[in-house]
Amino acid sequence: MLNLNAAISEGSVEPATDQSGGILWKVLIFDKFGQDIISSIMRVNDLRENGVTVHMLLSQDRSALPDVPAVYFVEPTADNVKKMCEDFQRGLYDSYYVNFCSTIPRPIMEQLATTTIANETSDLVNQVYDQYLNFVCTNADVFSLSQEEVFVNLNNPSAAETLIDETVDRTVNALFSVVVTMGVIPIIRCPRGNAAEMIANKLDSKLRDHVMNSRTNLFSESSSNLQRPVLILLDRNMDLTPMLSHSWTYQSLIHDVLEMKLNRITVDADERINQTRKSYDIENKDFFWNKNASSPFPQVAEDIDIELNKYKKDAAEITRMSGVSSLEDVGQLDLSSNTKTLKSAITALPELTARKATLDMHMNVATALLNKIKDRQLDTFFQIEENITRQNKGLLLEVLRDEEKKDPEDKMRLFLIYYLSTSEEVPQEDMDAYEKALEAAGCDLSPLKYIKRVRQLMRMTSMISSPTVGQGSGFSQNDLFRGFSSIGNRLTDRLKEGGLGGGFENILSGVKNLLPVRKELVISKIVGDIMSPPQNEPSKADDYLYFDPKMSRNSRSARQHKAAFQEAIVFVVGGGNYVEYQNLQEIATVRIEAHND
């Protein structure tokens, strides 16, 4: 799209060129959704490398740049088309390349055509494209449809039918774009009933209609592609526990207790450590994030210590080779009498500087996390939730009544997890005591009322398996969090000493006691049973529906439900989370290793 929709070779980053062979500079105009899609994977430098010199919102007042072409990336709405046509009429740019995020409805296309013809500006519009990009990717393995209130719209008993249909249709259109981007038509599996089946049926029909009736095939499948992926659509109500649980992995913690959206982490101001509100962008080349995003927080602290020591060692080596006292002086050296060794030191300086900035960022984030963990006593909540089915009434009431645990939401989350995980009905006398404690803690009981209905109607407890301790865990519940407070205090003190200079020495005592137990979540069990179906035993996916858009609706195979798959796309209607994503990645890694062995 940024190359004006010209074909480019895979892996190439060469921008479009003008007639003289120079870079064809252009303006990028997007709406809010288009901005979200682009900002999640590209930064300003990336846009500049692709020839984009200015990027602005369609809704902004913009000055004319009459000699520059403009690339528009917007949703196909009547309001957006109206604003674009106003730009055409005002002659803001030299030429216009219009790209819609999703399929253009016929009325919108007619509005664009009619208005440009009436304004005599149609000849300025060089291209109009459906990009099929109405979804957001935060990394290579994760996508979101970026739709708000989907769970509420689909589960609210008072929701209007038109709202439900609109939500389902938007989801189907976005999933169609995901499939188009992949370039291969998947098999679709989903449970019976609820929104997942509605979406699967409509998506199957949309794909089937495209294969049979479209003049332009959007899928470039080769004959050698014998193994197609499976698209697994699941309802959020299958397991609400992971949406409520307090996680202990780096990415999940950041998303839960800090503010993270579209790969931007925002840390609130904190007067205790003289911290102002700051935002940090996670980039594709962030080596620390790529390695530690799914790691338990104690391992992250340990790895920061390792990377710090490595940085110090490399910095000391460069200053020794250069004969200067600090890295800042390396760039000021006289290059006229440089030796080969000195040149290599100067060459290594940019990489070392970038590494320092990355580690500084993650240390600031780690400090903010530790402060939040201590303020909300998240270690206690995580510890209890890891063994939630073993907890008794006395301990739960003690936690709910504990005035030092000040956040009502944490207490409500803990109790909801207990209520969803227990296989027996909670006696009414006990429930009254729990509700009284929750109300006294300032909790809104509306979520509990909803979960009561969910439990009653869907019998969710049959889907929830108790956590199982992995082999060789080597710790008990009592010593799981031994030494946490001292670790937090020392980490914060070190970071306050001034970024990298403080180091993480002596803070790792007892950290490994904080590692969570290994368990297989409901979603991972279902995905595992679909990808590698048990041949002679019951499976959680036995009654799941099977759709193949490339086959006749009447063609059914007795063994099709037992077909195995090598690749899966998992989509949860109503919202997924990083806990389940990381659990799926862990299970996939284990299966790959087992297959290789």
Side-chain angles (χ1 to χ4, degrees):
M1 181 181 74
L2 297 180
N3 203 48
L4 306 184
N5 293 302
I8 56 174
S9 58
E10 187 173 348
S12 172
V13 293
E14 290 297 321
T17 58
D18 56 23
Q19 294 179 349
S20 62
I23 295 177
L24 179 60
W25 297 105
K26 59 195 84 75
V27 176
L28 175 62
I29 310 296
F30 39 50
D31 60 2
K32 186 63 177 70
F33 188 53
Q35 182 184 37
D36 289 349
I37 294 170
I38 291 176
S39 63
S40 64
I41 56 173
M42 302 185 81
R43 297 291 176 255
V44 174
N45 288 343
D46 300 318
L47 293 176
R48 190 151 297 165
E49 288 176 2
N50 284 275
V52 175
T53 182
V54 179
H55 57 280
M56 294 175 285
L57 282 167
L58 179 62
S59 57
Q60 287 180 323
D61 290 330
R62 288 165 279 118
S63 301
L65 295 169
D67 298 327
V68 181
V71 176
Y72 285 77
F73 183 50
V74 297
E75 288 188 282
T77 65
D79 191 43
N80 283 345
V81 167
K82 179 183 177 182
K83 285 187 172 67
M84 286 192 296
C85 289
E86 290 173 357
D87 288 356
F88 304 161
Q89 190 171 21
R90 291 171 57 198
L92 289 185
Y93 310 110
D94 177 62
S95 54
Y96 304 88
Y97 298 79
V98 179
N99 300 270
F100 290 106
C101 301
S102 57
T103 308
I104 311 169
R106 187 176 182 85
I108 300 298
M109 192 65 192
E110 290 177 349
Q111 177 191 355
L112 177 63
T114 303
T115 308
T116 53
I117 291 173
N119 294 339
E120 298 182 351
T121 55
S122 58
D123 57 327
L124 299 176
V125 182
N126 285 15
Q127 295 176 349
V128 178
Y129 269 78
D130 296 327
Q131 290 293 352
Y132 297 99
L133 290 174
N134 51 323
F135 58 94
V136 172
C137 279
T138 51
N139 68 41
D141 298 322
V142 179
F143 73 90
S144 167
L145 305 190
S146 197
Q147 298 175 1
E148 298 181 354
E149 302 292 328
V150 170
F151 182 83
V152 175
N153 294 345
L154 296 177
N155 291 278
N156 186 352
S158 61
E161 283 293 324
T162 52
L163 178 61
I164 294 174
D165 289 342
E166 179 185 328
T167 302
V168 168
D169 288 343
R170 279 175 35 235
T171 302
V172 169
N173 289 335
L175 286 175
F176 182 80
S177 293
V178 172
V179 174
V180 168
T181 301
M182 291 180 57
V184 58
I185 298 176
I187 305 295
I188 303 173
R189 300 294 305 274
C190 73
R192 298 176 184 273
N194 292 329
E197 182 179 355
M198 295 169 60
I199 291 169
N201 264 306
K202 288 196 171 187
L203 181 60
D204 174 63
S205 298
K206 191 176 181 73
L207 288 168
R208 194 180 298 275
D209 181 64
H210 176 78
V211 170
M212 295 180 63
N213 302 319
S214 178
R215 289 175 293 178
T216 304
N217 186 5
L218 296 170
F219 301 95
S220 55
E221 298 179 67
S222 63
S223 57
S224 61
N225 188 10
L226 301 177
Q227 179 63 57
R228 292 157 60 196
V230 57
L231 172 59
I232 303 171
L233 301 179
L234 301 170
D235 278 301
R236 180 66 271 167
N237 279 329
M238 66 167 179
D239 184 13
L240 289 173
T241 304
M243 302 295 286
L244 301 166
S245 63
H246 294 86
S247 176
W248 202 240
T249 59
Y250 192 38
Q251 187 176 35
S252 299
L253 265 173
I254 291 172
H255 189 261
D256 187 8
V257 305
L258 301 180
E259 182 182 330
M260 184 171 78
K261 184 178 181 181
L262 301 174
N263 286 339
R264 170 166 288 189
I265 301 170
T266 302
V267 177
D268 287 332
D270 192 333
E271 295 180 357
R272 293 171 298 182
I273 57 173
N274 197 27
Q275 171 73 58
T276 58
R277 181 178 172 88
K278 287 186 177 180
S279 294
Y280 303 97
D281 288 326
I282 302 169
E283 300 184 2
N284 293 333
K285 57 187 178 183
D286 186 330
F287 72 95
F288 192 87
W289 180 261
N290 293 336
K291 180 181 178 183
N292 289 290
S294 59
S295 298
F297 187 66
Q299 287 185 8
V300 175
E302 184 177 359
D303 202 49
I304 287 180
D305 185 51
I306 293 171
E307 292 294 339
L308 259 174
N309 291 329
K310 183 179 177 183
Y311 165 80
K312 290 179 185 176
K313 181 180 177 182
D314 292 347
E317 180 65 15
I318 285 184
T319 54
R320 184 192 64 79
M321 291 165 51
S322 308
V324 295
S325 58
S326 68
L327 288 179
E328 288 75 11
D329 298 330
V330 174
Q332 308 300 321
L333 290 171
D334 180 13
L335 301 181
S336 60
S337 59
N338 248 340
T339 64
K340 183 177 180 181
T341 303
L342 196 54
K343 286 182 179 178
S344 64
I346 294 174
T347 303
L349 185 60
E351 185 275 333
L352 206 59
T353 304
R355 204 195 319 169
K356 177 184 184 299
T358 298
L359 290 176
D360 269 336
M361 178 190 91
H362 286 288
M363 284 197 302
N364 289 334
V365 172
T367 306
L369 282 178
L370 273 171
N371 287 331
K372 292 284 188 180
I373 289 168
K374 289 191 293 183
D375 289 346
R376 292 167 54 179
Q377 298 188 24
L378 297 179
D379 51 329
T380 304
F381 287 103
F382 174 75
Q383 178 187 10
I384 295 172
E385 290 167 12
E386 282 288 273
N387 299 279
I388 193 67
T389 55
R390 303 177 193 170
Q391 308 304 336
N392 56 46
K393 175 183 176 182
L395 185 142
L396 284 172
L397 286 175
E398 180 183 342
V399 174
L400 297 181
R401 292 167 178 165
D402 188 349
E403 294 183 0
E404 292 187 5
K405 297 176 177 61
K406 301 175 183 177
D407 194 325
E409 183 180 292
D410 290 327
K411 296 180 179 180
M412 177 57 78
R413 287 166 62 177
L414 172 67
F415 181 71
L416 291 179
I417 292 170
Y418 168 75
Y419 184 66
L420 289 169
S421 301
T422 181
S423 57
E424 301 175 358
E425 284 298 321
V426 179
Q428 188 59 47
E429 180 183 352
D430 292 356
M431 182 60 75
D432 291 342
Y434 291 135
E435 291 184 5
K436 184 177 179 181
L438 288 168
E439 281 187 314
C443 297
D444 178 5
L445 296 187
S446 301
L448 178 56
K449 294 176 183 176
Y450 173 75
I451 293 298
K452 283 182 179 179
R453 291 200 301 271
V454 170
R455 181 182 165 99
Q456 182 179 7
L457 295 173
M458 305 193 68
R459 301 176 182 271
M460 283 182 53
T461 48
S462 65
M463 295 286 291
I464 297 175
S465 55
S466 300
T468 55
V469 178
Q471 293 182 351
S473 57
F475 55 83
S476 66
Q477 180 176 344
N478 291 333
D479 66 12
L480 185 64
F481 284 89
R482 182 180 298 147
F484 177 83
S485 296
S486 61
I487 294 168
N489 290 334
R490 279 177 285 186
L491 176 56
T492 304
D493 290 343
R494 291 293 180 184
L495 292 172
K496 286 166 66 177
E497 290 177 18
L500 291 173
F504 274 20
E505 297 88 347
N506 302 319
I507 68 163
L508 299 175
S509 170
V511 166
K512 291 187 178 179
N513 289 337
L514 302 171
L515 299 182
V517 297
R518 182 181 295 275
K519 53 190 170 185
E520 188 173 52
L521 299 177
V522 172
I523 187 172
S524 299
K525 179 62 177 171
I526 293 171
V527 172
D529 283 359
I530 289 177
M531 296 190 72
S532 302
Q535 296 301 315
N536 298 310
E537 57 184 85
S539 160
K540 287 186 179 295
D542 278 342
D543 63 340
Y544 273 42
L545 297 171
Y546 183 103
F547 299 89
D548 186 347
K550 297 180 73 174
M551 294 182 64
S552 166
R553 291 185 186 275
N554 298 324
S555 60
R556 288 284 186 270
S557 167
R559 297 288 298 171
Q560 67 183 13
H561 287 70
K562 294 295 183 181
F565 298 92
Q566 296 297 319
E567 291 183 293
I569 307 104
V570 183
F571 181 77
V572 183
V573 180
N577 59 79
Y578 288 116
V579 176
E580 290 174 322
Y581 161 67
Q582 290 161 359
N583 193 247
L584 282 169
Q585 293 296 312
E586 289 174 9
I587 302 304
T589 301
V590 170
R591 288 175 182 267
I592 291 172
E593 291 174 351
H595 178 74
N596 292 338
D597 292 342

